[in-house]
Amino acid sequence: MFFHRQEMQHKATPDAPDAVYARKLQEVLGGQYGEISVAMQYSFQAWNMHIPGKYRDLVYGIAAEEFGHVEMLAVMIAQLLEKAPLGITDDAVQSDPTVAAVIGGTDIQHGIVAGAGARPVDSMGNPWQGSYITASGNLLADFTANANAEMQGRLQVARLYHMTDDSGVRDLLKFLLARDTMHQNQWTRAAMELQEEGLELLPVPSNFPIKKEDRDVSYEYINFSDGEHAKDGSWASGPTPDGKGEFSYLDGPQSTVPMPPPTHPDSRFYGTTE
Amino acid sequence: MFFHRQEMQHKATPDAPDAVYARKLQEVLGGQYGEISVAMQYSFQAWNMHIPGKYRDLVYGIAAEEFGHVEMLAVMIAQLLEKAPLGITDDAVQSDPTVAAVIGGTDIQHGIVAGAGARPVDSMGNPWQGSYITASGNLLADFTANANAEMQGRLQVARLYHMTDDSGVRDLLKFLLARDTMHQNQWTRAAMELQEEGLELLPVPSNFPIKKEDRDVSYEYINFSDGEHAKDGSWASGPTPDGKGEFSYLDGPQSTVPMPPPTHPDSRFYGTTE
Amino acid sequence: MFFHRQEMQHKATPDAPDAVYARKLQEVLGGQYGEISVAMQYSFQAWNMHIPGKYRDLVYGIAAEEFGHVEMLAVMIAQLLEKAPLGITDDAVQSDPTVAAVIGGTDIQHGIVAGAGARPVDSMGNPWQGSYITASGNLLADFTANANAEMQGRLQVARLYHMTDDSGVRDLLKFLLARDTMHQNQWTRAAMELQEEGLELLPVPSNFPIKKEDRDVSYEYINFSDGEHAKDGSWASGPTPDGKGEFSYLDGPQSTVPMPPPTHPDSRFYGTTE
Amino acid sequence: MFFHRQEMQHKATPDAPDAVYARKLQEVLGGQYGEISVAMQYSFQAWNMHIPGKYRDLVYGIAAEEFGHVEMLAVMIAQLLEKAPLGITDDAVQSDPTVAAVIGGTDIQHGIVAGAGARPVDSMGNPWQGSYITASGNLLADFTANANAEMQGRLQVARLYHMTDDSGVRDLLKFLLARDTMHQNQWTRAAMELQEEGLELLPVPSNFPIKKEDRDVSYEYINFSDGEHAKDGSWASGPTPDGKGEFSYLDGPQSTVPMPPPTHPDSRFYGTTE
Amino acid sequence: MFFHRQEMQHKATPDAPDAVYARKLQEVLGGQYGEISVAMQYSFQAWNMHIPGKYRDLVYGIAAEEFGHVEMLAVMIAQLLEKAPLGITDDAVQSDPTVAAVIGGTDIQHGIVAGAGARPVDSMGNPWQGSYITASGNLLADFTANANAEMQGRLQVARLYHMTDDSGVRDLLKFLLARDTMHQNQWTRAAMELQEEGLELLPVPSNFPIKKEDRDVSYEYINFSDGEHAKDGSWASGPTPDGKGEFSYLDGPQSTVPMPPPTHPDSRFYGTTE
Amino acid sequence: MFFHRQEMQHKATPDAPDAVYARKLQEVLGGQYGEISVAMQYSFQAWNMHIPGKYRDLVYGIAAEEFGHVEMLAVMIAQLLEKAPLGITDDAVQSDPTVAAVIGGTDIQHGIVAGAGARPVDSMGNPWQGSYITASGNLLADFTANANAEMQGRLQVARLYHMTDDSGVRDLLKFLLARDTMHQNQWTRAAMELQEEGLELLPVPSNFPIKKEDRDVSYEYINFSDGEHAKDGSWASGPTPDGKGEFSYLDGPQSTVPMPPPTHPDSRFYGTTE
Ligand SMILES: [Ca+2]
Ligand SMILES: [Ca+2]
Ligand SMILES: [Ca+2]
Ligand SMILES: [Ca+2]
Ligand SMILES: [Ca+2]
Ligand SMILES: [Ca+2]
């Protein structure tokens, strides 16, 4: 159950409207690694989780914060759009190149569809979609997905930081950067704790009987390109992070098998055959 | 530049056709974490990489292997579909419940669209899409994405292992499980090496001047749910994995700000105002 | 800002697992008119609203409830999936036709991707997407969209009611049906109140100077099919709901204009021309 | 059966080409609430309708008109693109800022893909999709969807009106605005007539036995946010539009239930459990 | 301008309802090569065409027929769904395996969303989308696209023919097969006529100055796989269909160039560099 | 099995960076008819093919070349983005209109998401998707699809040629134009050879017993529009390309049937009925 309060975790007001930047900011609202993605990802992980207690509480505790981040960005975008120009003519463009930039640089649907409001889309106008999220029920896999999401997210916010010098926008970005720092550390730490407690280990899923896999090729780096330096990495020799083997290096596959013969399905599929 | 050889890394022939299982196997061919995803993800990471040498060679070396995995699964699926029934009537269903299962359990487009062939879709028929992949240019973020992809991928293959007892299919899955074990270890190790060499550290991106973020909230676990156990985890107290702080625990946000007033865009957007 | 509480508005526990029904229930969780849609729609309407006070408070007040509905359905689906069969062989199908139904009737990704968990998709496996929602800034238009969403939603829940006889599931559906009744009434009433207060009238947007539209054709029913009964409706004669005209009926367009000549763009587009 | 005539309901020729505006106009051709959407929505409602006579004739009669609106917009867009520049260099931009606007403001696929032609996409380049439409078989729900579509559509055309001063374009928009006025009135009136004839009432679907829903919560406004003014609306007290109850106001949920315990699916799904 | 008549080109009534087959038939209604695709493809080609006369009249003349085909299939699907079961319990499945097939084999949204009506989706439930169609302005390219569409379409109908023995359905399919035969012949002939009249030749676009392309490699079959028989085809030696060269065969690329060095963008993109 | 070599078929280095052009070039990398599409299309055709020998070797041999084309374009795009500006302020725009063009003309995700790298999307930012490809198992249909793909592809490259004067970019485009010339010729020739060998003929699929189709309408051009010139083409009289009939011309359908009565599904679908 969720409750809403008409307050925000942090101030989200720009110094001045900037319709072009509003579009850029959509990336971290409604993009692959935007706030909608993490809010929904953590929520579904919570609803699907198989163990009560600290891990589930952790995921619930962050999910709701992320919905608040969605809100801060949406409210910020609406304010950035507050003076979005509506009627633009050639004359206006001629006298002010900035207007030319605005014409091309804005999300057109911000105006026509949302009336100068935020939208659930990324910076190129692609709608947010459920296939962005990950909730597998396996916590080591999912916490790794979460760590990645917070890394990609913070990277995008850092890039956005340099695309404006509006102090109000930057003030919000500084806050989001810090929360992403927290969340990167948190998911990294939670993934460690899972392993320390033996709930899950490398390779994921660790409960699958490892002897059923083809152990001969479990630690071979097989080079299918011709770069000579891949063998210099610690992924090509030495102990493996899962503690169960030694990396080795192969310059291409050692053995291969011929392709099976072509299939011959029912002739009423009307495929071409001899 | 890619070269194709009409051989395979491993045998990919089922004992017997099984159209229902063919559909399930589409998940690891064309799903969010299927082989097309990793092949394309590693390829784009290679093409976008900013440093020559072992890391780039590593990514190129694996990318090409993954295209071969796509091929093995496609060829396997085509064989599983070889005896896919085409004409099904009520009579057939009445006399054999298995046929009923086949009717419902198959990917209908396997027959109507591909003529009993593999397709670039997941197990529910959603086409593979470019938004599944990640290639940000930041290697620690991207190698974490890669580790996650191999974890989710191996998890799915492990689940699929129990959905068949065809020894030919299982033989291929054992091979894929082992390669996923390798790739989980490899990306984990490569992420470590990046950090050991100081190329990238937590929090990602580590070159962003950390003092520009709002350091007051960089290590606070703020609980936006009412689960009491979130504070028991090592993400709520103790040193942070980035080595730069100490976790603390807050039972909800410490301070908040009021929401900004509603916006008033140009009246010709015809939004509703007082 | 959103806060989560680990309680629910209503009980959401089935009498028994039912993986096939779990898939059907996805429609009202992650479909076009599912709970994610209304939760996101009302949220974006709130964030984009241009007037403070009762209308904005209304939208905020319902949005958060809807996120709780998402949760109840997700938790219900996870429980319906709790005994989802994983390993199915021909033998099993032969001895029990129900298993055949389960094979075909389940969402395959429920198992392979989510490990028997809920997903942000509809009943056919299409991911939820941002383009399902409407938030235009014009409240009469948007409240009409909301009324429609609650009508379509209640209709779907009513259909789902008859697809199970599990009393636990039905108990939840009864609650959701009642809340949809409330929300239909509420949006209908709110749309009336907007008009009573003169904030917005038909035709939407009412502030656009109506004399600028081509008033000659503003109230003509023009029949482009050959059905003779369309003229019998109250949309073909009598006063119009906007109070500004009289309907009239035309058996096809009264006047037409020739199509403009074909275009001749730059020859370097290499289109075919004479 | 559809017949085409090489004439148009209204003139659709711009005074002058304008490639940037051509892109904007795509929204009402191929967007969520564009003409393709209403043409397809009304068509599918007709094909799925369960009663012969005036309602079916109505839907058929309008559907075909809407395909003609698609055509007028497509033809207009092609003419707006007639002088779309193809070869643009830095020099050109330097000497004329308008060219800069054109570079950014155009739909790139208008040139590269369609050779200066219209496309079935919205103003941000998202392809039109079948999930935009609604055809449920319940006419009160669907006519409400139609009223909403015409409201959103007219709102978008009104916004577009102010984004150009081309008198040819405005002439077409004036016509479309008037037809949207008609269609808003018409669907509103048809929804009333359905109710007057008792074919369908609030709450939709009215034939579902209302006593089966949880009547205790059928008319409660439950405030899940902290806005104090939601209770001032006529949706929080007084009679309900369906004529079957009285609204009441609750400051949050009156009773709640604990969440059910986490699920424990088959261990071979390899989710994380204690 | 389109006019609708409440008649059909051919009878479209099944002998008996069949909800499973209704889903299959969706492929040729709303799939990649379904009737919506050809109706929209030919329409956009007409609206974008640069020459008046017989080619434009041809495209207009067929486009409208195809919308009628959409209608016949939609009406057929609605009738196939007329007895779609709504309430299914385990008991029902136990006593009748056919019911099991129906559970799995139906499009779930046919019932829940459309109330036993047709939908603008393919047989796996993917919504029709604008990216299925092709309208480039170059008629030889587009007529080749059209020939392909009619080939793929007829192939799918032929497959569907064997998936039912309902004589009413087969009667409609026989008609559609014949019309696809016509349209294959027609587009093939129209493509020939374009070339005979010199409006467009191979290679498309023929007006691009061919000497600007890298003529050294214009007719080389370069084998990037190791199949030995590719050189036996008439694409590896002999005259080329465009009449401007001779095919030659190369066993792999004759010359290659090294990859360019990695890029080094602005450091504030925070990619990983040395 | 695929092997990668860190070399390229042709040089792919621009004279100078050009972020706006980088976006345009995405069309032929990740668009409907871009290199990813042909690489995947030919690969799936190979994996699904039912006959060994020259046709299968042909498809394999080209598929791998196309993956190399993807690579050349990706590497080119990364270089075009190398100096993509990150921090843009109003001041910069004021002093240089080119910057305004860059703001609007760039793919925003090139910077924020990929850190100045290539992406698997088209020029409007739509992700590449599996539904772009065709692999039906019927070779005449599929080779026609391939010929179309190479025509549309070469057309797009020709258009792109005129959108830049960078000699490095043009050098690569000249190479791609030549390869598209080869591939158009090759698929055209292969389609002829299939017919010469009798493996497949018009109409596709030729093995479907043609007498089962409704031969009365197999060669009629039925004009559903009012263009008078459609009857002047060789598709309206004379022999048909399949050699089995004579075209005839009809000014509209000769006979029609009434629409079937509306359906009446189970009342618990709650559709509107009398
Ligand atoms: Ca966040
Ligand atoms: Ca793999
Ligand atoms: Ca709800
Ligand atoms: Ca219209
Ligand atoms: Ca057709
Ligand atoms: Ca190519």
Side-chain angles (χ1 to χ4, degrees), chain B residues 35 38 66 69 180:
Chain B
E35 300 289 356
V38 287
E66 302 291 12
H69 293 189
D180 287 350

Side-chain angles (χ1 to χ4, degrees), chain E residues 7 33 134 154 193 234 256, chain F residues 7 33 134 193 213 234 256:
Chain E
E7 292 167 17
Y33 290 113
T134 299
R154 190 172 184 271
E193 190 154 320
S234 56
T256 62
Chain F
E7 291 168 18
Y33 289 113
T134 298
E193 190 153 321
E213 77 177 28
S234 55
T256 62

